[in-house]
Amino acid sequence: MLVNVSYNKPKLKKEIDEAVGKAFSFKERLKLGGIGSGKLFITSSSVSIHNLLILDSYLNTCGVELRPDGIIVSFRSLLETYALVIPYYKLNIYKGKAEEYGIYRDHHFIKIKADRKSIHNFFKKLQNCKARHWSSEKLQ
C-alpha cells in the first residue's frame, strides 16, 4: 500500500504494523547489523509513484527499512513523506542491470541505482531476511 505518513495517525500506524510487523527492538537491530539502507537514488518508478516524485525538483531518493514481516520504502515529495509498505509475501526484487535493483509490489515498483558495495550488501541482507521469514513460517 502506498500511503502518506507525514502526520501522526494511530490508525494508519496500526495498519502498517499489522502488514509488516512492529519495528525491530534495539537488540535485534544490533544483531542484524542495522535495518536501514541509507540514501538510495531512484532511477525509475511506477506511474503513481512517479506522479508524486515529479511534483518537486529535488533528487529522487528513498530509503528502505526492514521489518519482521516485510519492508517499508519511504520517499519525500513536496515536504510530505510517503511509504510503500510491502509484506514479504508481496515483495519481488529483480536485478535487471548490473547496477540497478527493482522493488515490486503488485502494480507499484521502484528501481534503485546500486553503485556502492553497501547497497548490494543491504539487498543480500534483505533477501536473507525474506528467506528466514518464509522458513520460520513453514516450521510453525
Side-chain angles (χ1 to χ4, degrees):
M1 74 181 137
L2 181 62
V3 292
N4 184 340
V5 292
S6 299
Y7 309 103
N8 186 15
K9 297 179 182 174
K11 185 178 177 184
L12 180 62
K13 185 180 184 308
K14 185 179 176 188
E15 282 182 39
I16 292 171
D17 288 346
E18 287 174 359
V20 292
K22 293 189 181 237
F24 285 108
S25 68
F26 183 70
K27 185 177 178 182
E28 291 170 320
R29 291 175 192 216
L30 288 176
K31 185 178 175 185
L32 285 172
I35 60 163
S37 66
K39 185 185 282 190
L40 302 171
F41 293 98
I42 300 172
T43 57
S44 66
S45 60
S46 60
V47 173
S48 55
I49 296 171
H50 179 71
N51 287 340
L52 293 171
L53 291 172
I54 62 170
L55 294 175
D56 61 22
S57 60
Y58 299 115
L59 283 175
N60 295 332
T61 61
C62 68
V64 178
E65 175 190 349
L66 296 176
R67 290 284 185 105
D69 299 325
I71 64 170
I72 299 175
V73 181
S74 58
F75 58 92
R76 292 187 54 92
S77 177
L78 285 179
L79 303 176
E80 302 280 330
T81 305
Y82 295 91
L84 180 59
V85 181
I86 309 173
Y88 283 135
Y89 69 92
K90 291 205 175 231
L91 174 65
N92 289 312
I93 298 174
Y94 295 108
K95 188 169 192 287
K97 298 178 185 173
E99 293 188 350
E100 186 176 75
Y101 285 96
I103 301 172
Y104 290 79
R105 181 211 163 125
D106 299 334
H107 60 278
H108 296 294
F109 73 88
I110 294 178
K111 291 187 179 178
I112 294 165
K113 183 178 179 182
D115 56 352
R116 298 185 313 263
K117 187 173 182 172
S118 61
I119 297 171
H120 293 286
N121 290 339
F122 178 79
F123 276 93
K124 284 180 189 175
K125 183 191 303 184
L126 173 57
Q127 292 282 19
N128 290 337
C129 287
K130 183 177 177 181
R132 273 196 305 266
H133 174 76
W134 283 111
S135 64
S136 67
E137 289 275 323
K138 291 181 180 178
L139 294 175
Q140 295 176 355

